[in-house]
Amino acid sequence: MSDPVAPDGPLYRSVVRPSTPLVVVGAVVAGVGVLTGLLVAAMGGASVVLGGVVLAALVLLGWLVARGPVRVTVTREAVRIGYPLASRTIRISDVTDVGAGDHVDGVGYGWGVRWEGRGKWAYRVGGPMATLVHRGGRLGVSVADPHEFVEAVVDARQDIA
């Protein structure tokens, strides 16, 4: 929870790294990227450039799957969710509800930043989830401790009259 020495500091911080199955999938994707890129590049000519692009794209995708963490910070002003290439900030004044668990009711499961239907998004890397309902929709997010996350958001909402 919050640090009594730093009253303006974060109320909650979480860094959740991908679960073991995602690390394995990411490594496989990166490996396929290396093999495919090298095979395409071996054709010579303009294929060398295409092979390099394929290699770089699949290795980056593999890294995102295997190592891309979801970072969540709750302050009195906002909830910040960070994921490589896609971060989001939701003002505390826009939050209407929060709950432990996954209540997005969309496609479900999977990994990464996912569109789950109209106004529903999820930042998933496995493990425990929490759901944040705000004026723009719903957001499911992987967090280290859903109950501490909920407490921090509720505490931050107490300041809003």
Side-chain angles (χ1 to χ4, degrees):
M1 291 301 289
S2 65
D3 181 1
V5 178
D8 294 333
L11 300 174
Y12 177 81
R13 277 195 182 142
S14 169
V15 177
V16 179
R17 301 208 179 275
S19 59
T20 302
L22 290 177
V23 173
V24 171
V25 168
V28 168
V29 169
V32 167
V34 169
L35 289 175
T36 305
L38 291 176
L39 287 173
V40 171
M43 294 179 187
S47 296
V48 172
V49 174
L50 178 61
V53 170
V54 168
L55 187 144
L58 289 178
V59 167
L60 176 63
L61 178 62
W63 180 87
L64 282 174
V65 172
R67 304 301 308 154
V70 172
R71 300 176 191 276
V72 177
T73 304
V74 177
T75 65
R76 298 234 175 255
E77 293 80 35
V79 177
R80 290 179 183 80
I81 298 101
Y83 186 74
L85 307 177
S87 295
R88 187 163 191 180
T89 300
I90 298 170
R91 294 184 319 219
I92 287 294
S93 60
D94 289 341
V95 174
T96 58
D97 198 8
V98 63
D102 185 5
H103 306 286
V104 175
D105 296 332
V107 178
Y109 305 105
W111 62 271
V113 178
R114 296 172 55 100
W115 178 70
E116 301 272 320
R118 187 174 181 182
K120 300 174 187 175
W121 287 86
Y123 287 68
R124 301 176 187 273
V125 291
M129 296 283 295
T131 301
L132 189 69
V133 181
H134 55 94
R135 290 192 176 122
R138 280 180 194 251
L139 182 67
V141 63
S142 293
V143 291
D145 187 329
H147 298 290
E148 282 188 28
F149 173 76
V150 169
E151 288 176 16
V153 172
V154 168
D155 184 31
R157 293 261 318 135
Q158 298 298 323
D159 295 339
I160 299 172

